[in-house]
Amino acid sequence: MSRSLKKGPHVDVKLFRKVEELNQMNKRESIKTWSRGCTIVPEFVGHTFLVHNGKTFISVFVTED
């Protein structure tokens, strides 16, 4: 189920800061996260996230498609 348009997208602040730091340093490292409900924003494109599914981490590479 999607989030209400009135509330806007949910972006985890800690995760967004980590991505901004990596973008400034021009690094492409995997980022571990437990925030599965986070909305993907354009700044996340080109990064690999290790998303926790409750048991293990699953690698997710974000592209524009």
Short mmCIF file of all heavy atoms in Angstrom, two decimals:
data_model
loop_
_atom_site.label_atom_id
_atom_site.label_comp_id
_atom_site.label_asym_id
_atom_site.label_seq_id
_atom_site.Cartn_x
_atom_site.Cartn_y
_atom_site.Cartn_z
N MET A 1 0.84 -1.17 0.00
CA MET A 1 0.00 0.00 0.00
C MET A 1 0.89 1.24 0.00
O MET A 1 1.87 1.31 0.72
CB MET A 1 -0.89 -0.01 1.24
CG MET A 1 -1.80 1.18 1.31
SD MET A 1 -2.88 1.13 2.72
CE MET A 1 -4.27 0.33 2.00
N SER A 2 0.53 2.21 -0.81
CA SER A 2 1.35 3.41 -0.92
C SER A 2 1.01 4.41 0.18
O SER A 2 -0.02 4.32 0.84
CB SER A 2 1.17 4.04 -2.29
OG SER A 2 -0.17 4.44 -2.44
N ARG A 3 1.87 5.37 0.33
CA ARG A 3 1.71 6.40 1.34
C ARG A 3 0.81 7.51 0.80
O ARG A 3 0.78 7.78 -0.40
CB ARG A 3 3.10 6.96 1.68
CG ARG A 3 3.14 7.88 2.84
CD ARG A 3 4.60 8.12 3.20
NE ARG A 3 4.78 9.29 4.02
CZ ARG A 3 4.83 9.27 5.34
NH1 ARG A 3 4.70 8.13 5.97
NH2 ARG A 3 5.00 10.36 6.01
N SER A 4 0.11 8.20 1.67
CA SER A 4 -0.80 9.27 1.30
C SER A 4 -0.05 10.40 0.60
O SER A 4 1.06 10.78 1.00
CB SER A 4 -1.47 9.81 2.55
OG SER A 4 -2.17 11.00 2.27
N LEU A 5 -0.64 10.97 -0.44
CA LEU A 5 -0.02 12.09 -1.15
C LEU A 5 0.10 13.31 -0.25
O LEU A 5 1.02 14.11 -0.38
CB LEU A 5 -0.82 12.43 -2.40
CG LEU A 5 -0.80 11.40 -3.50
CD1 LEU A 5 -1.73 11.84 -4.64
CD2 LEU A 5 0.59 11.20 -4.03
N LYS A 6 -0.81 13.45 0.67
CA LYS A 6 -0.79 14.58 1.60
C LYS A 6 0.44 14.54 2.49
O LYS A 6 1.05 15.57 2.79
CB LYS A 6 -2.07 14.56 2.45
CG LYS A 6 -2.16 15.68 3.47
CD LYS A 6 -3.50 15.67 4.20
CE LYS A 6 -3.59 14.47 5.10
NZ LYS A 6 -4.78 14.48 5.95
N LYS A 7 0.84 13.35 2.90
CA LYS A 7 2.00 13.20 3.78
C LYS A 7 3.32 13.31 3.02
O LYS A 7 4.34 13.66 3.59
CB LYS A 7 1.96 11.85 4.49
CG LYS A 7 0.85 11.73 5.49
CD LYS A 7 0.91 10.38 6.15
CE LYS A 7 -0.21 10.21 7.13
NZ LYS A 7 -0.18 8.89 7.75
N GLY A 8 3.32 12.95 1.76
CA GLY A 8 4.55 12.97 0.99
C GLY A 8 5.35 11.69 1.14
O GLY A 8 4.99 10.81 1.92
N PRO A 9 6.47 11.57 0.41
CA PRO A 9 7.26 10.34 0.47
C PRO A 9 8.02 10.22 1.80
O PRO A 9 8.41 11.22 2.39
CB PRO A 9 8.25 10.49 -0.69
CG PRO A 9 8.34 11.96 -0.90
CD PRO A 9 7.01 12.54 -0.53
N HIS A 10 8.21 8.97 2.24
CA HIS A 10 8.98 8.70 3.45
C HIS A 10 10.40 8.36 3.06
O HIS A 10 10.66 7.37 2.36
CB HIS A 10 8.38 7.53 4.23
CG HIS A 10 9.28 7.03 5.31
ND1 HIS A 10 9.54 7.74 6.43
CD2 HIS A 10 10.00 5.89 5.41
CE1 HIS A 10 10.39 7.05 7.20
NE2 HIS A 10 10.68 5.92 6.59
N VAL A 11 11.33 9.21 3.47
CA VAL A 11 12.76 8.97 3.21
C VAL A 11 13.46 8.97 4.56
O VAL A 11 13.35 9.93 5.33
CB VAL A 11 13.36 10.05 2.29
CG1 VAL A 11 14.82 9.79 2.06
CG2 VAL A 11 12.61 10.10 0.98
N ASP A 12 14.17 7.88 4.86
CA ASP A 12 14.91 7.78 6.11
C ASP A 12 16.06 8.79 6.10
O ASP A 12 16.89 8.80 5.18
CB ASP A 12 15.45 6.36 6.27
CG ASP A 12 16.07 6.11 7.62
OD1 ASP A 12 15.80 6.90 8.55
OD2 ASP A 12 16.82 5.12 7.76
N VAL A 13 16.09 9.67 7.09
CA VAL A 13 17.06 10.76 7.14
C VAL A 13 18.49 10.24 7.25
O VAL A 13 19.39 10.72 6.55
CB VAL A 13 16.75 11.71 8.32
CG1 VAL A 13 17.78 12.82 8.40
CG2 VAL A 13 15.36 12.28 8.17
N LYS A 14 18.73 9.22 8.09
CA LYS A 14 20.08 8.66 8.23
C LYS A 14 20.57 8.06 6.92
O LYS A 14 21.72 8.26 6.53
CB LYS A 14 20.10 7.58 9.32
CG LYS A 14 20.04 8.11 10.72
CD LYS A 14 20.18 6.96 11.69
CE LYS A 14 20.22 7.43 13.11
NZ LYS A 14 20.39 6.31 14.05
N LEU A 15 19.70 7.36 6.24
CA LEU A 15 20.06 6.74 4.97
C LEU A 15 20.36 7.80 3.92
O LEU A 15 21.33 7.70 3.17
CB LEU A 15 18.92 5.83 4.50
CG LEU A 15 19.15 4.99 3.27
CD1 LEU A 15 20.33 4.06 3.47
CD2 LEU A 15 17.91 4.21 2.93
N PHE A 16 19.56 8.85 3.88
CA PHE A 16 19.76 9.94 2.92
C PHE A 16 21.10 10.64 3.17
O PHE A 16 21.81 10.97 2.22
CB PHE A 16 18.61 10.93 3.01
CG PHE A 16 18.62 11.96 1.92
CD1 PHE A 16 18.24 11.61 0.63
CD2 PHE A 16 18.99 13.25 2.17
CE1 PHE A 16 18.24 12.55 -0.38
CE2 PHE A 16 19.00 14.20 1.17
CZ PHE A 16 18.62 13.85 -0.12
N ARG A 17 21.45 10.85 4.44
CA ARG A 17 22.73 11.48 4.77
C ARG A 17 23.91 10.63 4.33
O ARG A 17 24.91 11.14 3.82
CB ARG A 17 22.82 11.77 6.26
CG ARG A 17 21.97 12.92 6.69
CD ARG A 17 22.15 13.21 8.15
NE ARG A 17 21.18 14.18 8.59
CZ ARG A 17 20.66 14.24 9.80
NH1 ARG A 17 21.04 13.37 10.72
NH2 ARG A 17 19.77 15.15 10.12
N LYS A 18 23.81 9.31 4.53
CA LYS A 18 24.88 8.40 4.11
C LYS A 18 25.08 8.47 2.60
O LYS A 18 26.21 8.51 2.12
CB LYS A 18 24.55 6.96 4.51
CG LYS A 18 24.68 6.69 5.99
CD LYS A 18 24.34 5.25 6.29
CE LYS A 18 24.33 4.97 7.77
NZ LYS A 18 23.98 3.56 8.05
N VAL A 19 23.99 8.51 1.85
CA VAL A 19 24.09 8.58 0.40
C VAL A 19 24.69 9.91 -0.03
O VAL A 19 25.52 9.96 -0.93
CB VAL A 19 22.70 8.36 -0.25
CG1 VAL A 19 22.74 8.66 -1.73
CG2 VAL A 19 22.23 6.95 -0.01
N GLU A 20 24.29 11.00 0.61
CA GLU A 20 24.85 12.32 0.28
C GLU A 20 26.36 12.36 0.53
O GLU A 20 27.11 12.90 -0.28
CB GLU A 20 24.18 13.41 1.10
CG GLU A 20 22.83 13.81 0.58
CD GLU A 20 22.24 14.97 1.36
OE1 GLU A 20 22.57 15.13 2.55
OE2 GLU A 20 21.46 15.71 0.76
N GLU A 21 26.82 11.77 1.64
CA GLU A 21 28.25 11.73 1.94
C GLU A 21 29.01 10.94 0.87
O GLU A 21 30.08 11.36 0.43
CB GLU A 21 28.49 11.12 3.31
CG GLU A 21 28.09 12.00 4.46
CD GLU A 21 28.25 11.31 5.81
OE1 GLU A 21 28.86 10.22 5.86
OE2 GLU A 21 27.76 11.86 6.80
N LEU A 22 28.45 9.79 0.46
CA LEU A 22 29.10 8.99 -0.57
C LEU A 22 29.12 9.72 -1.91
O LEU A 22 30.10 9.61 -2.66
CB LEU A 22 28.41 7.63 -0.71
CG LEU A 22 28.62 6.66 0.44
CD1 LEU A 22 27.80 5.40 0.21
CD2 LEU A 22 30.08 6.31 0.60
N ASN A 23 28.06 10.46 -2.22
CA ASN A 23 28.03 11.23 -3.46
C ASN A 23 29.08 12.33 -3.46
O ASN A 23 29.70 12.59 -4.48
CB ASN A 23 26.64 11.84 -3.69
CG ASN A 23 25.65 10.81 -4.19
OD1 ASN A 23 26.02 9.78 -4.73
ND2 ASN A 23 24.37 11.10 -4.02
N GLN A 24 29.29 12.97 -2.33
CA GLN A 24 30.29 14.03 -2.24
C GLN A 24 31.71 13.49 -2.40
O GLN A 24 32.57 14.16 -2.97
CB GLN A 24 30.17 14.78 -0.91
CG GLN A 24 28.94 15.64 -0.82
CD GLN A 24 28.79 16.28 0.54
OE1 GLN A 24 29.59 16.04 1.44
NE2 GLN A 24 27.76 17.10 0.69
N MET A 25 31.94 12.28 -1.89
CA MET A 25 33.26 11.68 -1.98
C MET A 25 33.43 10.85 -3.26
O MET A 25 34.48 10.27 -3.48
CB MET A 25 33.51 10.79 -0.76
CG MET A 25 33.58 11.54 0.54
SD MET A 25 34.02 10.49 1.93
CE MET A 25 32.61 9.42 2.07
N ASN A 26 32.38 10.76 -4.08
CA ASN A 26 32.39 9.98 -5.33
C ASN A 26 32.74 8.52 -5.08
O ASN A 26 33.51 7.91 -5.81
CB ASN A 26 33.35 10.58 -6.36
CG ASN A 26 32.85 11.91 -6.87
OD1 ASN A 26 31.64 12.12 -6.94
ND2 ASN A 26 33.76 12.79 -7.19
N LYS A 27 32.18 7.93 -4.03
CA LYS A 27 32.39 6.52 -3.71
C LYS A 27 31.12 5.74 -3.99
O LYS A 27 30.02 6.26 -3.94
CB LYS A 27 32.76 6.35 -2.23
CG LYS A 27 34.13 6.85 -1.89
CD LYS A 27 34.48 6.48 -0.47
CE LYS A 27 35.88 6.93 -0.10
NZ LYS A 27 36.21 6.58 1.28
N ARG A 28 31.28 4.45 -4.28
CA ARG A 28 30.16 3.55 -4.53
C ARG A 28 30.30 2.34 -3.62
O ARG A 28 30.74 1.28 -4.03
CB ARG A 28 30.12 3.11 -5.98
CG ARG A 28 29.90 4.24 -6.95
CD ARG A 28 28.50 4.76 -6.85
NE ARG A 28 28.31 5.83 -7.82
CZ ARG A 28 27.57 6.88 -7.59
NH1 ARG A 28 26.95 7.02 -6.45
NH2 ARG A 28 27.43 7.80 -8.51
N GLU A 29 29.94 2.49 -2.35
CA GLU A 29 30.01 1.39 -1.39
C GLU A 29 28.60 0.88 -1.12
O GLU A 29 27.62 1.61 -1.30
CB GLU A 29 30.64 1.87 -0.09
CG GLU A 29 32.07 2.34 -0.22
CD GLU A 29 32.61 2.90 1.08
OE1 GLU A 29 31.85 2.97 2.07
OE2 GLU A 29 33.79 3.27 1.10
N SER A 30 28.50 -0.34 -0.65
CA SER A 30 27.22 -0.89 -0.24
C SER A 30 26.81 -0.28 1.09
O SER A 30 27.64 -0.09 1.97
CB SER A 30 27.31 -2.40 -0.10
OG SER A 30 27.60 -2.98 -1.34
N ILE A 31 25.51 0.02 1.22
CA ILE A 31 24.99 0.65 2.42
C ILE A 31 23.99 -0.31 3.07
O ILE A 31 23.00 -0.69 2.43
CB ILE A 31 24.28 1.98 2.09
CG1 ILE A 31 25.24 2.91 1.35
CG2 ILE A 31 23.74 2.63 3.34
CD1 ILE A 31 24.56 4.13 0.77
N LYS A 32 24.24 -0.70 4.31
CA LYS A 32 23.33 -1.57 5.03
C LYS A 32 22.17 -0.75 5.57
O LYS A 32 22.37 0.34 6.11
CB LYS A 32 24.02 -2.26 6.20
CG LYS A 32 24.82 -3.46 5.83
CD LYS A 32 25.27 -4.18 7.08
CE LYS A 32 26.02 -5.44 6.72
NZ LYS A 32 26.43 -6.19 7.91
N THR A 33 20.95 -1.28 5.43
CA THR A 33 19.78 -0.59 5.96
C THR A 33 18.72 -1.59 6.43
O THR A 33 18.60 -2.68 5.88
CB THR A 33 19.19 0.38 4.93
OG1 THR A 33 18.10 1.06 5.52
CG2 THR A 33 18.71 -0.33 3.69
N TRP A 34 17.99 -1.17 7.42
CA TRP A 34 16.86 -1.94 7.92
C TRP A 34 15.56 -1.24 7.56
O TRP A 34 14.49 -1.71 7.88
CB TRP A 34 16.95 -2.10 9.43
CG TRP A 34 17.94 -3.12 9.88
CD1 TRP A 34 17.66 -4.40 10.25
CD2 TRP A 34 19.35 -2.98 9.99
NE1 TRP A 34 18.81 -5.06 10.59
CE2 TRP A 34 19.88 -4.20 10.43
CE3 TRP A 34 20.24 -1.94 9.75
CZ2 TRP A 34 21.22 -4.41 10.65
CZ3 TRP A 34 21.58 -2.15 9.95
CH2 TRP A 34 22.05 -3.37 10.40
N SER A 35 15.64 -0.11 6.88
CA SER A 35 14.48 0.69 6.51
C SER A 35 13.92 0.22 5.18
O SER A 35 14.27 0.74 4.12
CB SER A 35 14.88 2.16 6.44
OG SER A 35 13.78 2.95 6.09
N ARG A 36 13.01 -0.76 5.22
CA ARG A 36 12.46 -1.31 3.98
C ARG A 36 11.35 -0.46 3.41
O ARG A 36 11.05 -0.54 2.23
CB ARG A 36 11.94 -2.72 4.23
CG ARG A 36 13.03 -3.69 4.64
CD ARG A 36 12.53 -5.09 4.74
NE ARG A 36 11.42 -5.18 5.68
CZ ARG A 36 10.66 -6.25 5.83
NH1 ARG A 36 10.88 -7.31 5.11
NH2 ARG A 36 9.69 -6.26 6.70
N GLY A 37 10.73 0.39 4.23
CA GLY A 37 9.62 1.21 3.77
C GLY A 37 10.03 2.55 3.21
O GLY A 37 9.19 3.37 2.86
N CYS A 38 11.32 2.76 3.08
CA CYS A 38 11.84 4.03 2.60
C CYS A 38 11.59 4.19 1.10
O CYS A 38 11.77 3.25 0.34
CB CYS A 38 13.34 4.10 2.90
SG CYS A 38 14.13 5.60 2.34
N THR A 39 11.18 5.40 0.69
CA THR A 39 10.98 5.69 -0.73
C THR A 39 12.32 5.97 -1.39
O THR A 39 13.16 6.65 -0.82
CB THR A 39 10.06 6.92 -0.89
OG1 THR A 39 8.84 6.67 -0.20
CG2 THR A 39 9.77 7.20 -2.34
N ILE A 40 12.49 5.47 -2.61
CA ILE A 40 13.73 5.68 -3.34
C ILE A 40 13.65 7.03 -4.05
O ILE A 40 12.72 7.29 -4.81
CB ILE A 40 13.97 4.55 -4.36
CG1 ILE A 40 14.15 3.24 -3.61
CG2 ILE A 40 15.18 4.84 -5.23
CD1 ILE A 40 14.23 2.04 -4.49
N VAL A 41 14.61 7.88 -3.77
CA VAL A 41 14.66 9.21 -4.38
C VAL A 41 15.77 9.23 -5.44
O VAL A 41 16.63 8.34 -5.46
CB VAL A 41 14.90 10.30 -3.31
CG1 VAL A 41 13.67 10.42 -2.40
CG2 VAL A 41 16.12 10.03 -2.48
N PRO A 42 15.78 10.22 -6.34
CA PRO A 42 16.78 10.24 -7.42
C PRO A 42 18.24 10.22 -6.95
O PRO A 42 19.11 9.75 -7.68
CB PRO A 42 16.48 11.55 -8.15
CG PRO A 42 15.04 11.79 -7.90
CD PRO A 42 14.78 11.28 -6.52
N GLU A 43 18.52 10.69 -5.74
CA GLU A 43 19.90 10.67 -5.23
C GLU A 43 20.40 9.25 -4.98
O GLU A 43 21.60 9.01 -4.90
CB GLU A 43 20.01 11.48 -3.94
CG GLU A 43 19.90 12.97 -4.13
CD GLU A 43 18.46 13.47 -4.26
OE1 GLU A 43 17.52 12.66 -4.07
OE2 GLU A 43 18.29 14.65 -4.56
N PHE A 44 19.50 8.28 -4.86
CA PHE A 44 19.87 6.90 -4.58
C PHE A 44 20.31 6.13 -5.83
O PHE A 44 20.85 5.04 -5.72
CB PHE A 44 18.71 6.15 -3.94
CG PHE A 44 18.36 6.59 -2.55
CD1 PHE A 44 19.05 7.59 -1.90
CD2 PHE A 44 17.32 5.98 -1.87
CE1 PHE A 44 18.72 8.00 -0.62
CE2 PHE A 44 16.98 6.37 -0.58
CZ PHE A 44 17.68 7.38 0.04
N VAL A 45 20.09 6.69 -7.01
CA VAL A 45 20.40 5.98 -8.26
C VAL A 45 21.90 5.75 -8.37
O VAL A 45 22.71 6.65 -8.15
CB VAL A 45 19.89 6.79 -9.48
CG1 VAL A 45 20.35 6.17 -10.78
CG2 VAL A 45 18.38 6.89 -9.45
N GLY A 46 22.26 4.51 -8.67
CA GLY A 46 23.66 4.14 -8.84
C GLY A 46 24.30 3.57 -7.59
O GLY A 46 25.46 3.20 -7.61
N HIS A 47 23.55 3.48 -6.51
CA HIS A 47 24.08 2.93 -5.27
C HIS A 47 23.53 1.53 -5.02
O HIS A 47 22.46 1.17 -5.50
CB HIS A 47 23.70 3.82 -4.07
CG HIS A 47 24.44 5.12 -4.04
ND1 HIS A 47 25.71 5.24 -3.55
CD2 HIS A 47 24.09 6.35 -4.46
CE1 HIS A 47 26.12 6.47 -3.64
NE2 HIS A 47 25.15 7.19 -4.21
N THR A 48 24.29 0.75 -4.26
CA THR A 48 23.87 -0.59 -3.86
C THR A 48 23.50 -0.56 -2.39
O THR A 48 24.28 -0.09 -1.56
CB THR A 48 24.99 -1.61 -4.10
OG1 THR A 48 25.36 -1.58 -5.47
CG2 THR A 48 24.54 -3.01 -3.73
N PHE A 49 22.32 -1.07 -2.08
CA PHE A 49 21.84 -1.13 -0.70
C PHE A 49 21.73 -2.59 -0.28
O PHE A 49 21.32 -3.44 -1.07
CB PHE A 49 20.47 -0.46 -0.58
CG PHE A 49 20.49 1.01 -0.86
CD1 PHE A 49 20.23 1.50 -2.12
CD2 PHE A 49 20.79 1.90 0.15
CE1 PHE A 49 20.26 2.85 -2.39
CE2 PHE A 49 20.82 3.26 -0.09
CZ PHE A 49 20.55 3.73 -1.37
N LEU A 50 22.11 -2.85 0.94
CA LEU A 50 21.93 -4.18 1.53
C LEU A 50 20.73 -4.08 2.45
O LEU A 50 20.82 -3.54 3.56
CB LEU A 50 23.18 -4.61 2.28
CG LEU A 50 24.43 -4.75 1.43
CD1 LEU A 50 25.65 -5.01 2.31
CD2 LEU A 50 24.27 -5.87 0.43
N VAL A 51 19.56 -4.57 1.98
CA VAL A 51 18.30 -4.42 2.70
C VAL A 51 18.06 -5.68 3.54
O VAL A 51 18.10 -6.79 3.03
CB VAL A 51 17.13 -4.21 1.72
CG1 VAL A 51 15.84 -3.99 2.46
CG2 VAL A 51 17.43 -3.02 0.81
N HIS A 52 17.79 -5.48 4.83
CA HIS A 52 17.57 -6.59 5.75
C HIS A 52 16.14 -7.09 5.60
O HIS A 52 15.19 -6.31 5.67
CB HIS A 52 17.83 -6.15 7.19
CG HIS A 52 18.00 -7.28 8.12
ND1 HIS A 52 16.99 -7.73 8.92
CD2 HIS A 52 19.07 -8.06 8.39
CE1 HIS A 52 17.43 -8.74 9.66
NE2 HIS A 52 18.70 -8.96 9.34
N ASN A 53 15.97 -8.40 5.41
CA ASN A 53 14.64 -8.97 5.24
C ASN A 53 14.15 -9.69 6.50
O ASN A 53 13.16 -10.41 6.45
CB ASN A 53 14.59 -9.92 4.03
CG ASN A 53 15.36 -11.19 4.26
OD1 ASN A 53 16.05 -11.35 5.25
ND2 ASN A 53 15.25 -12.11 3.31
N GLY A 54 14.84 -9.53 7.60
CA GLY A 54 14.47 -10.19 8.83
C GLY A 54 15.42 -11.31 9.19
O GLY A 54 15.51 -11.71 10.34
N LYS A 55 16.11 -11.84 8.20
CA LYS A 55 17.06 -12.93 8.43
C LYS A 55 18.43 -12.61 7.84
O LYS A 55 19.44 -12.81 8.50
CB LYS A 55 16.51 -14.21 7.82
CG LYS A 55 17.31 -15.44 8.14
CD LYS A 55 16.64 -16.67 7.61
CE LYS A 55 17.44 -17.91 7.97
NZ LYS A 55 16.81 -19.13 7.43
N THR A 56 18.46 -12.16 6.61
CA THR A 56 19.71 -11.86 5.92
C THR A 56 19.60 -10.51 5.20
O THR A 56 18.53 -9.92 5.15
CB THR A 56 20.04 -12.94 4.87
OG1 THR A 56 18.99 -12.97 3.91
CG2 THR A 56 20.23 -14.30 5.50
N PHE A 57 20.72 -10.08 4.64
CA PHE A 57 20.73 -8.85 3.85
C PHE A 57 20.66 -9.22 2.37
O PHE A 57 21.39 -10.09 1.90
CB PHE A 57 22.00 -8.04 4.11
CG PHE A 57 21.99 -7.35 5.44
CD1 PHE A 57 22.59 -7.93 6.54
CD2 PHE A 57 21.37 -6.13 5.59
CE1 PHE A 57 22.59 -7.30 7.76
CE2 PHE A 57 21.36 -5.48 6.82
CZ PHE A 57 21.97 -6.06 7.90
N ILE A 58 19.80 -8.53 1.63
CA ILE A 58 19.64 -8.76 0.21
C ILE A 58 20.21 -7.55 -0.53
O ILE A 58 19.90 -6.41 -0.20
CB ILE A 58 18.17 -8.97 -0.17
CG1 ILE A 58 17.65 -10.21 0.54
CG2 ILE A 58 17.99 -9.07 -1.67
CD1 ILE A 58 16.17 -10.44 0.35
N SER A 59 21.03 -7.78 -1.53
CA SER A 59 21.67 -6.72 -2.29
C SER A 59 20.68 -6.16 -3.31
O SER A 59 20.09 -6.90 -4.10
CB SER A 59 22.91 -7.26 -3.00
OG SER A 59 23.49 -6.25 -3.76
N VAL A 60 20.50 -4.83 -3.30
CA VAL A 60 19.60 -4.15 -4.23
C VAL A 60 20.38 -3.01 -4.89
O VAL A 60 20.83 -2.09 -4.20
CB VAL A 60 18.36 -3.59 -3.51
CG1 VAL A 60 17.48 -2.83 -4.48
CG2 VAL A 60 17.60 -4.68 -2.81
N PHE A 61 20.52 -3.06 -6.21
CA PHE A 61 21.19 -2.00 -6.96
C PHE A 61 20.11 -1.11 -7.57
O PHE A 61 19.21 -1.59 -8.26
CB PHE A 61 22.09 -2.57 -8.05
CG PHE A 61 22.82 -1.52 -8.83
CD1 PHE A 61 23.85 -0.81 -8.25
CD2 PHE A 61 22.46 -1.24 -10.13
CE1 PHE A 61 24.53 0.18 -8.95
CE2 PHE A 61 23.13 -0.26 -10.85
CZ PHE A 61 24.17 0.44 -10.26
N VAL A 62 20.17 0.20 -7.34
CA VAL A 62 19.15 1.13 -7.78
C VAL A 62 19.56 1.72 -9.13
O VAL A 62 20.63 2.29 -9.26
CB VAL A 62 18.94 2.26 -6.75
CG1 VAL A 62 17.89 3.23 -7.21
CG2 VAL A 62 18.57 1.67 -5.40
N THR A 63 18.66 1.59 -10.12
CA THR A 63 18.86 2.19 -11.44
C THR A 63 17.66 3.09 -11.76
O THR A 63 16.68 3.10 -11.03
CB THR A 63 18.97 1.11 -12.53
OG1 THR A 63 17.76 0.37 -12.57
CG2 THR A 63 20.14 0.18 -12.30
N GLU A 64 17.75 3.82 -12.85
CA GLU A 64 16.66 4.71 -13.24
C GLU A 64 15.45 3.94 -13.75
O GLU A 64 14.34 4.46 -13.71
CB GLU A 64 17.14 5.68 -14.33
CG GLU A 64 18.01 6.77 -13.79
CD GLU A 64 18.25 7.84 -14.82
OE1 GLU A 64 17.30 8.18 -15.56
OE2 GLU A 64 19.37 8.33 -14.88
N ASP A 65 15.64 2.75 -14.24
CA ASP A 65 14.52 1.96 -14.75
C ASP A 65 13.64 1.56 -13.61
O ASP A 65 12.53 1.30 -13.66
CB ASP A 65 15.00 0.73 -15.49
CG ASP A 65 15.80 1.11 -16.72
OD1 ASP A 65 15.58 2.20 -17.25
OD2 ASP A 65 16.62 0.28 -17.15
#
